């Protein structure tokens, strides 16, 4: 049996940064984790010299984690699909070049990116703009870090909501070897896929994109039914997807080496990850597991 690479989104913040994030991951029983290099909502970034990277990487190795399985997520505000505001597109390119250099300098190898949104101009226009943006980024960053394009929920004018759209971007980019995919269970359900058919989803993904391109899976339940296009994550077993389907993704033999990352909401200002990770590790649902978090203040 191969090792389960299972973790969650962790806030990397002052003063301990990566060391703090690793210690938090260890306290949750995680074997990997996902960070943003700063706030998810903006592109203000501190120099990585202040982020205790070397110490953090040594600590995570000591804990049996693997830098190759650690995930970095780009901020939400990047929109390479924008053809309306040239500034947004240009800022996105510049930010991503610097972000890829940061990920590389940290010793990590993948960056999750929301492909973009068409802001009223239609999906095809945005997909072509994203290709242009990725080509600009990947011709200049000078690293071998891979960008994992995330499958989106279809909220607002998001693109990259079907496997075909993601495939289109990869096919038209001049640097396809630098591209991979992040599959988000909440998002594909919102986009209309029947997530309960895990084998069917993986077979379809394999034939349209290729499972060799799947770099990370986001494990989230959804507050809304299939096709809702809302993008509201829910705790395991409290949403429309349910614990068993999510656990099937986590333990699926075709996804053996791929890191699985929880992005489920905090409960009562407390992280739910220790409990969620334990349930997934043992593939065992604990009814009312959230009660304990809900009652403490
Ligand atoms: Fe995301
Ligand atoms: Fe996600
Ligand atoms: Zn989401």
């Amino acid at each position: 049996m191969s090792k389960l690479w299972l973790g969650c989104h962790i806030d990397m913040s002052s003063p301990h940064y990566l060391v703090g994030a690793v210690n938090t991951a260890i306290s949750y029983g995680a074997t990997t984790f996902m960070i943003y290099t700063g706030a998810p909502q903006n592109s203000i970034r501190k120099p990585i010299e202040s982020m205790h990277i070397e110490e953090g990487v040594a600590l995570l190795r000591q804990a049996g984690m693997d830098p190759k399985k650690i995930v970095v997520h780009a901020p939400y505000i990047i929109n390479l699909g924008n053809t309306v505001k040239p500034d947004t597109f240009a800022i996105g390119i510049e930010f991503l070049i610097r972000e890829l250099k940061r990920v590389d300098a940290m010793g990590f190898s993948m960056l999750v990116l929301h492909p973009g949104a068409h802001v009223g101009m239609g999906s095809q226009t945005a997909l072509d703009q994203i290709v242009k943006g990725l080509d600009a980024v990947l011709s200049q960053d000078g690293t071998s870090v891979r960008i994992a394009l995330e499958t989106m929920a279809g909220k607002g004018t998001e693109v990259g909501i079907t496997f075909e759209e993601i495939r289109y971007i990869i096919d038209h980019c001049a640097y396809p070897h630098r591209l991979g995919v992040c599959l988000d269970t909440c998002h594909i359900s919102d986009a209309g896929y029947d997530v309960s058919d895990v084998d069917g989803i993986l077979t379809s993904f394999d034939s349209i994109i290729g499972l060799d391109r799947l770099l990370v899976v986001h494990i989230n339940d959804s507050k809304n039914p299939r096709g809702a296009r809302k993008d509201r994550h829910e705790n395991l077993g409290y949403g429309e997807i349910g614990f068993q389907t999510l656990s099937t993704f986590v333990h699926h033999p075709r996804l053996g080496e791929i890191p699985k990352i929880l992005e489920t909401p905090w409960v009562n200002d407390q992280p739910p990850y220790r409990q969620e990770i334990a349930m997934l590790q043992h593939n065992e649902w604990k009814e009312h597991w959230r009660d304990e978090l809900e009652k403490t203040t």
Side-chain angles (χ1 to χ4, degrees):
M1 230 179 66
S2 64
K3 176 165 176 170
L4 199 53
W5 302 100
L6 175 63
C8 58
H9 162 231
I10 288 174
D11 198 35
M12 184 173 73
S13 54
S14 167
H16 303 295
Y17 294 99
L18 190 60
V19 169
V22 174
N23 279 321
T24 303
I26 294 169
S27 77
Y28 295 156
T31 50
T32 185
F33 57 90
M34 180 174 84
I35 49 169
Y36 289 78
T37 59
Q41 312 83 356
N42 67 47
S43 59
I44 303 161
R45 293 295 181 263
K46 287 220 161 75
I48 71 160
E49 287 71 27
S50 62
M51 293 182 183
H52 305 286
I53 301 304
E54 239 175 277
E55 218 185 323
V57 170
L59 188 63
L60 73 87
R61 281 186 193 279
Q62 238 176 59
M65 298 182 198
D66 178 352
K68 295 273 165 289
K69 307 290 181 185
I70 306 294
V71 183
V72 182
H73 197 309
Y76 317 138
I77 44 137
I78 303 288
N79 183 9
L80 291 182
N82 196 318
T83 50
V84 177
K85 288 189 185 157
D87 269 9
T88 305
F89 182 69
I91 289 167
I93 291 171
E94 273 171 52
F95 180 86
L96 283 172
I97 292 170
R98 280 181 278 122
E99 184 83 332
L100 288 166
K101 288 181 193 286
R102 270 191 290 270
V103 174
D104 190 48
M106 291 170 130
F108 303 146
S109 61
M110 66 179 123
L111 177 69
V112 172
L113 175 69
H114 294 179
H118 67 69
V119 295
M121 302 307 283
S123 298
Q124 190 56 50
T125 306
L127 290 171
D128 289 323
Q129 186 77 344
I130 292 163
V131 169
K132 229 169 95 181
L134 288 172
D135 281 350
V137 170
L138 298 173
S139 65
Q140 294 175 72
D141 72 301
T143 79
S144 56
V145 174
R146 289 178 82 185
I147 291 182
L149 300 165
E150 183 162 355
T151 60
M152 300 311 291
K155 191 175 84 178
T157 66
E158 280 170 358
V159 299
I161 67 180
T162 62
F163 298 160
E164 285 82 359
E165 286 184 349
I166 301 273
R167 165 75 191 262
Y168 181 91
I169 297 170
I170 296 170
D171 272 355
H172 289 81
C173 176
Y175 307 87
H177 57 287
R178 299 283 308 278
L179 298 178
V181 180
C182 167
L183 183 83
D184 186 309
T185 55
C186 168
H187 295 178
I188 59 172
S189 171
D190 264 19
Y193 289 93
D194 176 8
V195 270
S196 68
D197 178 14
V198 181
D199 286 309
I201 295 277
L202 296 183
T203 298
S204 158
F205 187 101
D206 195 31
S207 70
I208 297 165
I209 300 173
L211 276 174
D212 55 327
R213 290 213 187 263
L214 186 53
L215 303 183
V216 48
V217 181
H218 283 170
I219 301 291
N220 300 307
D221 210 327
S222 175
K223 284 195 198 294
N224 294 291
R226 180 180 167 188
R229 295 182 161 232
K230 295 259 209 267
D231 194 3
R232 301 280 312 281
H233 302 182
E234 182 53 285
N235 293 116
L236 303 190
Y238 284 81
E240 299 280 335
I241 297 175
F243 178 79
Q244 203 45 63
T245 294
L246 295 167
S247 191
T248 302
F249 273 96
V250 167
H251 295 282
H252 202 288
R254 297 181 79 179
L255 306 179
E257 288 295 309
I258 298 171
K260 290 58 174 215
I261 301 289
L262 294 156
E263 302 173 296
T264 48
W266 283 36
V267 182
N268 205 1
D269 291 325
Q270 297 164 94
Y273 305 121
R274 189 177 50 78
Q275 291 88 332
E276 290 185 323
I277 287 169
M279 287 190 298
L280 286 172
Q281 270 166 348
H282 302 114
N283 186 20
E284 191 192 338
W285 166 245
K286 294 255 198 286
E287 213 173 335
H288 306 302
W289 67 266
R290 219 166 59 168
D291 290 4
E292 165 197 346
L293 295 173
E294 273 161 355
K295 66 178 174 236
T296 49
T297 45

mmCIF file of all heavy atoms in Angstrom, residues 182-217:
data_model
loop_
_atom_site.group_PDB
_atom_site.id
_atom_site.type_symbol
_atom_site.label_atom_id
_atom_site.label_comp_id
_atom_site.label_asym_id
_atom_site.label_seq_id
_atom_site.Cartn_x
_atom_site.Cartn_y
_atom_site.Cartn_z
ATOM 1 N N CYS A 182 -5.584 20.543 -11.279
ATOM 2 C CA CYS A 182 -6.064 20.331 -9.915
ATOM 3 C C CYS A 182 -7.559 20.063 -10.015
ATOM 4 O O CYS A 182 -8.314 20.913 -10.473
ATOM 5 C CB CYS A 182 -5.806 21.585 -9.076
ATOM 6 S SG CYS A 182 -6.674 21.585 -7.489
ATOM 7 N N LEU A 183 -7.966 18.873 -9.603
ATOM 8 C CA LEU A 183 -9.386 18.499 -9.640
ATOM 9 C C LEU A 183 -10.013 18.818 -8.290
ATOM 10 O O LEU A 183 -9.546 18.337 -7.262
ATOM 11 C CB LEU A 183 -9.502 17.000 -9.940
ATOM 12 C CG LEU A 183 -10.913 16.442 -10.091
ATOM 13 C CD1 LEU A 183 -11.428 16.672 -11.506
ATOM 14 C CD2 LEU A 183 -10.931 14.944 -9.779
ATOM 15 N N ASP A 184 -11.055 19.649 -8.284
ATOM 16 C CA ASP A 184 -11.735 20.013 -7.035
ATOM 17 C C ASP A 184 -13.117 19.354 -7.019
ATOM 18 O O ASP A 184 -13.946 19.618 -7.893
ATOM 19 C CB ASP A 184 -11.844 21.549 -6.967
ATOM 20 C CG ASP A 184 -12.405 22.049 -5.648
ATOM 21 O OD1 ASP A 184 -13.478 21.555 -5.228
ATOM 22 O OD2 ASP A 184 -11.791 22.947 -5.031
ATOM 23 N N THR A 185 -13.361 18.516 -6.025
ATOM 24 C CA THR A 185 -14.601 17.727 -6.003
ATOM 25 C C THR A 185 -15.849 18.614 -5.902
ATOM 26 O O THR A 185 -16.854 18.352 -6.554
ATOM 27 C CB THR A 185 -14.612 16.721 -4.830
ATOM 28 O OG1 THR A 185 -14.382 17.432 -3.611
ATOM 29 C CG2 THR A 185 -13.553 15.639 -5.018
ATOM 30 N N CYS A 186 -15.776 19.682 -5.090
ATOM 31 C CA CYS A 186 -16.913 20.604 -4.971
ATOM 32 C C CYS A 186 -17.148 21.293 -6.308
ATOM 33 O O CYS A 186 -18.287 21.411 -6.769
ATOM 34 C CB CYS A 186 -16.662 21.623 -3.865
ATOM 35 S SG CYS A 186 -17.826 23.009 -3.848
ATOM 36 N N HIS A 187 -16.061 21.732 -6.939
ATOM 37 C CA HIS A 187 -16.207 22.472 -8.192
ATOM 38 C C HIS A 187 -16.778 21.606 -9.314
ATOM 39 O O HIS A 187 -17.647 22.063 -10.055
ATOM 40 C CB HIS A 187 -14.848 23.033 -8.634
ATOM 41 C CG HIS A 187 -14.287 24.057 -7.689
ATOM 42 N ND1 HIS A 187 -13.070 24.654 -7.883
ATOM 43 C CD2 HIS A 187 -14.788 24.582 -6.540
ATOM 44 C CE1 HIS A 187 -12.837 25.502 -6.899
ATOM 45 N NE2 HIS A 187 -13.856 25.476 -6.069
ATOM 46 N N ILE A 188 -16.290 20.373 -9.458
ATOM 47 C CA ILE A 188 -16.819 19.569 -10.580
ATOM 48 C C ILE A 188 -18.288 19.220 -10.347
ATOM 49 O O ILE A 188 -19.063 19.158 -11.294
ATOM 50 C CB ILE A 188 -15.978 18.303 -10.909
ATOM 51 C CG1 ILE A 188 -15.864 17.350 -9.736
ATOM 52 C CG2 ILE A 188 -14.601 18.689 -11.450
ATOM 53 C CD1 ILE A 188 -15.201 16.009 -10.099
ATOM 54 N N SER A 189 -18.682 19.050 -9.086
ATOM 55 C CA SER A 189 -20.099 18.807 -8.794
ATOM 56 C C SER A 189 -20.921 20.042 -9.161
ATOM 57 O O SER A 189 -21.952 19.950 -9.833
ATOM 58 C CB SER A 189 -20.271 18.462 -7.312
ATOM 59 O OG SER A 189 -21.640 18.420 -6.975
ATOM 60 N N ASP A 190 -20.446 21.206 -8.757
ATOM 61 C CA ASP A 190 -21.112 22.467 -9.107
ATOM 62 C C ASP A 190 -21.187 22.660 -10.619
ATOM 63 O O ASP A 190 -22.125 23.258 -11.143
ATOM 64 C CB ASP A 190 -20.344 23.653 -8.503
ATOM 65 C CG ASP A 190 -20.933 24.104 -7.179
ATOM 66 O OD1 ASP A 190 -21.662 23.319 -6.562
ATOM 67 O OD2 ASP A 190 -20.661 25.247 -6.773
ATOM 68 N N ALA A 191 -20.167 22.179 -11.314
ATOM 69 C CA ALA A 191 -20.122 22.347 -12.770
ATOM 70 C C ALA A 191 -21.040 21.359 -13.486
ATOM 71 O O ALA A 191 -21.222 21.451 -14.697
ATOM 72 C CB ALA A 191 -18.681 22.180 -13.266
ATOM 73 N N GLY A 192 -21.602 20.396 -12.729
ATOM 74 C CA GLY A 192 -22.587 19.493 -13.326
ATOM 75 C C GLY A 192 -22.163 18.035 -13.423
ATOM 76 O O GLY A 192 -22.952 17.189 -13.829
ATOM 77 N N TYR A 193 -20.917 17.716 -13.035
ATOM 78 C CA TYR A 193 -20.476 16.317 -13.074
ATOM 79 C C TYR A 193 -21.107 15.538 -11.924
ATOM 80 O O TYR A 193 -21.327 16.088 -10.838
ATOM 81 C CB TYR A 193 -18.944 16.229 -12.955
ATOM 82 C CG TYR A 193 -18.211 16.710 -14.191
ATOM 83 C CD1 TYR A 193 -17.778 18.035 -14.293
ATOM 84 C CD2 TYR A 193 -17.946 15.845 -15.243
ATOM 85 C CE1 TYR A 193 -17.100 18.480 -15.423
ATOM 86 C CE2 TYR A 193 -17.269 16.279 -16.375
ATOM 87 C CZ TYR A 193 -16.848 17.592 -16.460
ATOM 88 O OH TYR A 193 -16.184 18.023 -17.576
ATOM 89 N N ASP A 194 -21.379 14.249 -12.172
ATOM 90 C CA ASP A 194 -21.899 13.383 -11.113
ATOM 91 C C ASP A 194 -20.715 12.810 -10.342
ATOM 92 O O ASP A 194 -20.168 11.777 -10.698
ATOM 93 C CB ASP A 194 -22.731 12.252 -11.737
ATOM 94 C CG ASP A 194 -23.231 11.264 -10.698
ATOM 95 O OD1 ASP A 194 -23.073 11.538 -9.477
ATOM 96 O OD2 ASP A 194 -23.763 10.213 -11.097
ATOM 97 N N VAL A 195 -20.324 13.495 -9.250
ATOM 98 C CA VAL A 195 -19.128 13.073 -8.504
ATOM 99 C C VAL A 195 -19.260 11.716 -7.842
ATOM 100 O O VAL A 195 -18.248 11.100 -7.517
ATOM 101 C CB VAL A 195 -18.700 14.062 -7.382
ATOM 102 C CG1 VAL A 195 -17.751 15.098 -7.891
ATOM 103 C CG2 VAL A 195 -19.866 14.655 -6.659
ATOM 104 N N SER A 196 -20.510 11.276 -7.608
ATOM 105 C CA SER A 196 -20.685 9.982 -6.932
ATOM 106 C C SER A 196 -20.163 8.839 -7.819
ATOM 107 O O SER A 196 -19.819 7.774 -7.327
ATOM 108 C CB SER A 196 -22.152 9.754 -6.570
ATOM 109 O OG SER A 196 -22.921 9.581 -7.745
ATOM 110 N N ASP A 197 -20.084 9.081 -9.115
ATOM 111 C CA ASP A 197 -19.531 8.097 -10.041
ATOM 112 C C ASP A 197 -18.022 8.336 -10.180
ATOM 113 O O ASP A 197 -17.539 8.833 -11.197
ATOM 114 C CB ASP A 197 -20.236 8.223 -11.399
ATOM 115 C CG ASP A 197 -19.688 7.253 -12.442
ATOM 116 O OD1 ASP A 197 -18.956 6.305 -12.060
ATOM 117 O OD2 ASP A 197 -19.984 7.456 -13.637
ATOM 118 N N VAL A 198 -17.281 7.979 -9.140
ATOM 119 C CA VAL A 198 -15.849 8.302 -9.092
ATOM 120 C C VAL A 198 -15.097 7.656 -10.265
ATOM 121 O O VAL A 198 -14.314 8.315 -10.943
ATOM 122 C CB VAL A 198 -15.226 7.870 -7.743
ATOM 123 C CG1 VAL A 198 -13.749 8.234 -7.689
ATOM 124 C CG2 VAL A 198 -15.970 8.538 -6.582
ATOM 125 N N ASP A 199 -15.373 6.378 -10.520
ATOM 126 C CA ASP A 199 -14.688 5.707 -11.636
ATOM 127 C C ASP A 199 -15.010 6.371 -12.963
ATOM 128 O O ASP A 199 -14.125 6.548 -13.800
ATOM 129 C CB ASP A 199 -15.082 4.221 -11.693
ATOM 130 C CG ASP A 199 -14.413 3.427 -10.581
ATOM 131 O OD1 ASP A 199 -13.179 3.542 -10.444
ATOM 132 O OD2 ASP A 199 -15.126 2.716 -9.845
ATOM 133 N N GLY A 200 -16.277 6.735 -13.131
ATOM 134 C CA GLY A 200 -16.696 7.405 -14.367
ATOM 135 C C GLY A 200 -15.985 8.733 -14.542
ATOM 136 O O GLY A 200 -15.530 9.071 -15.647
ATOM 137 N N ILE A 201 -15.862 9.496 -13.457
ATOM 138 C CA ILE A 201 -15.174 10.791 -13.507
ATOM 139 C C ILE A 201 -13.712 10.592 -13.907
ATOM 140 O O ILE A 201 -13.197 11.280 -14.784
ATOM 141 C CB ILE A 201 -15.203 11.484 -12.105
ATOM 142 C CG1 ILE A 201 -16.626 11.848 -11.700
ATOM 143 C CG2 ILE A 201 -14.254 12.677 -12.048
ATOM 144 C CD1 ILE A 201 -17.150 13.138 -12.264
ATOM 145 N N LEU A 202 -13.052 9.623 -13.262
ATOM 146 C CA LEU A 202 -11.623 9.423 -13.532
ATOM 147 C C LEU A 202 -11.398 8.894 -14.947
ATOM 148 O O LEU A 202 -10.422 9.270 -15.610
ATOM 149 C CB LEU A 202 -11.004 8.481 -12.493
ATOM 150 C CG LEU A 202 -11.009 9.029 -11.057
ATOM 151 C CD1 LEU A 202 -10.308 8.059 -10.114
ATOM 152 C CD2 LEU A 202 -10.380 10.418 -10.969
ATOM 153 N N THR A 203 -12.312 8.052 -15.438
ATOM 154 C CA THR A 203 -12.199 7.536 -16.801
ATOM 155 C C THR A 203 -12.374 8.671 -17.801
ATOM 156 O O THR A 203 -11.608 8.797 -18.772
ATOM 157 C CB THR A 203 -13.240 6.416 -17.039
ATOM 158 O OG1 THR A 203 -12.947 5.358 -16.139
ATOM 159 C CG2 THR A 203 -13.189 5.894 -18.472
ATOM 160 N N SER A 204 -13.354 9.526 -17.546
ATOM 161 C CA SER A 204 -13.579 10.666 -18.426
ATOM 162 C C SER A 204 -12.391 11.632 -18.382
ATOM 163 O O SER A 204 -11.911 12.104 -19.417
ATOM 164 C CB SER A 204 -14.894 11.350 -18.001
ATOM 165 O OG SER A 204 -14.939 12.670 -18.438
ATOM 166 N N PHE A 205 -11.895 11.900 -17.181
ATOM 167 C CA PHE A 205 -10.715 12.772 -17.040
ATOM 168 C C PHE A 205 -9.535 12.193 -17.819
ATOM 169 O O PHE A 205 -8.829 12.901 -18.537
ATOM 170 C CB PHE A 205 -10.350 12.918 -15.552
ATOM 171 C CG PHE A 205 -9.259 13.924 -15.286
ATOM 172 C CD1 PHE A 205 -9.572 15.193 -14.833
ATOM 173 C CD2 PHE A 205 -7.917 13.610 -15.489
ATOM 174 C CE1 PHE A 205 -8.567 16.139 -14.593
ATOM 175 C CE2 PHE A 205 -6.911 14.536 -15.252
ATOM 176 C CZ PHE A 205 -7.241 15.804 -14.805
ATOM 177 N N ASP A 206 -9.357 10.876 -17.682
ATOM 178 C CA ASP A 206 -8.230 10.215 -18.342
ATOM 179 C C ASP A 206 -8.339 10.302 -19.856
ATOM 180 O O ASP A 206 -7.351 10.565 -20.538
ATOM 181 C CB ASP A 206 -8.146 8.752 -17.889
ATOM 182 C CG ASP A 206 -6.816 8.127 -18.248
ATOM 183 O OD1 ASP A 206 -5.801 8.863 -18.277
ATOM 184 O OD2 ASP A 206 -6.777 6.914 -18.506
ATOM 185 N N SER A 207 -9.554 10.129 -20.388
ATOM 186 C CA SER A 207 -9.660 10.138 -21.848
ATOM 187 C C SER A 207 -9.593 11.553 -22.414
ATOM 188 O O SER A 207 -9.109 11.758 -23.520
ATOM 189 C CB SER A 207 -10.924 9.406 -22.309
ATOM 190 O OG SER A 207 -12.060 10.161 -21.976
ATOM 191 N N ILE A 208 -10.056 12.560 -21.655
ATOM 192 C CA ILE A 208 -10.060 13.932 -22.185
ATOM 193 C C ILE A 208 -8.739 14.658 -21.894
ATOM 194 O O ILE A 208 -8.191 15.336 -22.762
ATOM 195 C CB ILE A 208 -11.262 14.721 -21.630
ATOM 196 C CG1 ILE A 208 -12.570 14.069 -22.112
ATOM 197 C CG2 ILE A 208 -11.224 16.194 -22.081
ATOM 198 C CD1 ILE A 208 -13.803 14.511 -21.379
ATOM 199 N N ILE A 209 -8.216 14.514 -20.680
ATOM 200 C CA ILE A 209 -6.991 15.238 -20.306
ATOM 201 C C ILE A 209 -5.807 14.285 -20.130
ATOM 202 O O ILE A 209 -4.692 14.583 -20.571
ATOM 203 C CB ILE A 209 -7.207 16.044 -18.998
ATOM 204 C CG1 ILE A 209 -8.336 17.083 -19.173
ATOM 205 C CG2 ILE A 209 -5.911 16.729 -18.570
ATOM 206 C CD1 ILE A 209 -8.740 17.805 -17.899
ATOM 207 N N GLY A 210 -6.051 13.160 -19.499
ATOM 208 C CA GLY A 210 -4.971 12.216 -19.175
ATOM 209 C C GLY A 210 -4.665 12.281 -17.680
ATOM 210 O O GLY A 210 -4.312 13.345 -17.165
ATOM 211 N N LEU A 211 -4.785 11.156 -16.993
ATOM 212 C CA LEU A 211 -4.554 11.151 -15.541
ATOM 213 C C LEU A 211 -3.116 11.503 -15.179
ATOM 214 O O LEU A 211 -2.839 11.945 -14.065
ATOM 215 C CB LEU A 211 -4.928 9.784 -14.942
ATOM 216 C CG LEU A 211 -6.412 9.588 -14.599
ATOM 217 C CD1 LEU A 211 -6.676 8.156 -14.151
ATOM 218 C CD2 LEU A 211 -6.870 10.581 -13.520
ATOM 219 N N ASP A 212 -2.188 11.347 -16.142
ATOM 220 C CA ASP A 212 -0.796 11.720 -15.882
ATOM 221 C C ASP A 212 -0.661 13.227 -15.651
ATOM 222 O O ASP A 212 0.342 13.690 -15.124
ATOM 223 C CB ASP A 212 0.106 11.265 -17.033
ATOM 224 C CG ASP A 212 -0.369 11.785 -18.385
ATOM 225 O OD1 ASP A 212 -1.591 11.918 -18.582
ATOM 226 O OD2 ASP A 212 0.490 12.071 -19.237
ATOM 227 N N ARG A 213 -1.676 13.993 -16.027
ATOM 228 C CA ARG A 213 -1.626 15.445 -15.808
ATOM 229 C C ARG A 213 -2.267 15.861 -14.478
ATOM 230 O O ARG A 213 -2.215 17.032 -14.094
ATOM 231 C CB ARG A 213 -2.349 16.189 -16.920
ATOM 232 C CG ARG A 213 -1.611 16.117 -18.226
ATOM 233 C CD ARG A 213 -1.807 17.382 -19.023
ATOM 234 N NE ARG A 213 -1.223 17.242 -20.334
ATOM 235 C CZ ARG A 213 -0.014 17.679 -20.666
ATOM 236 N NH1 ARG A 213 0.734 18.318 -19.777
ATOM 237 N NH2 ARG A 213 0.443 17.501 -21.879
ATOM 238 N N LEU A 214 -2.886 14.914 -13.789
ATOM 239 C CA LEU A 214 -3.544 15.259 -12.523
ATOM 240 C C LEU A 214 -2.481 15.386 -11.438
ATOM 241 O O LEU A 214 -1.811 14.420 -11.078
ATOM 242 C CB LEU A 214 -4.582 14.198 -12.169
ATOM 243 C CG LEU A 214 -5.457 14.484 -10.947
ATOM 244 C CD1 LEU A 214 -6.133 15.846 -11.035
ATOM 245 C CD2 LEU A 214 -6.500 13.399 -10.768
ATOM 246 N N LEU A 215 -2.305 16.601 -10.901
ATOM 247 C CA LEU A 215 -1.226 16.860 -9.943
ATOM 248 C C LEU A 215 -1.720 16.948 -8.508
ATOM 249 O O LEU A 215 -0.962 16.721 -7.570
ATOM 250 C CB LEU A 215 -0.501 18.165 -10.301
ATOM 251 C CG LEU A 215 0.105 18.263 -11.701
ATOM 252 C CD1 LEU A 215 0.834 19.592 -11.851
ATOM 253 C CD2 LEU A 215 1.056 17.100 -11.968
ATOM 254 N N VAL A 216 -2.964 17.341 -8.318
ATOM 255 C CA VAL A 216 -3.504 17.488 -6.964
ATOM 256 C C VAL A 216 -5.032 17.388 -7.008
ATOM 257 O O VAL A 216 -5.649 17.751 -8.012
ATOM 258 C CB VAL A 216 -3.019 18.825 -6.307
ATOM 259 C CG1 VAL A 216 -3.194 20.006 -7.221
ATOM 260 C CG2 VAL A 216 -3.694 19.108 -4.979
ATOM 261 N N VAL A 217 -5.618 16.856 -5.929
ATOM 262 C CA VAL A 217 -7.078 16.785 -5.827
ATOM 263 C C VAL A 217 -7.510 17.590 -4.602
ATOM 264 O O VAL A 217 -6.964 17.407 -3.508
ATOM 265 C CB VAL A 217 -7.574 15.321 -5.711
ATOM 266 C CG1 VAL A 217 -9.101 15.277 -5.632
ATOM 267 C CG2 VAL A 217 -7.103 14.483 -6.888
#
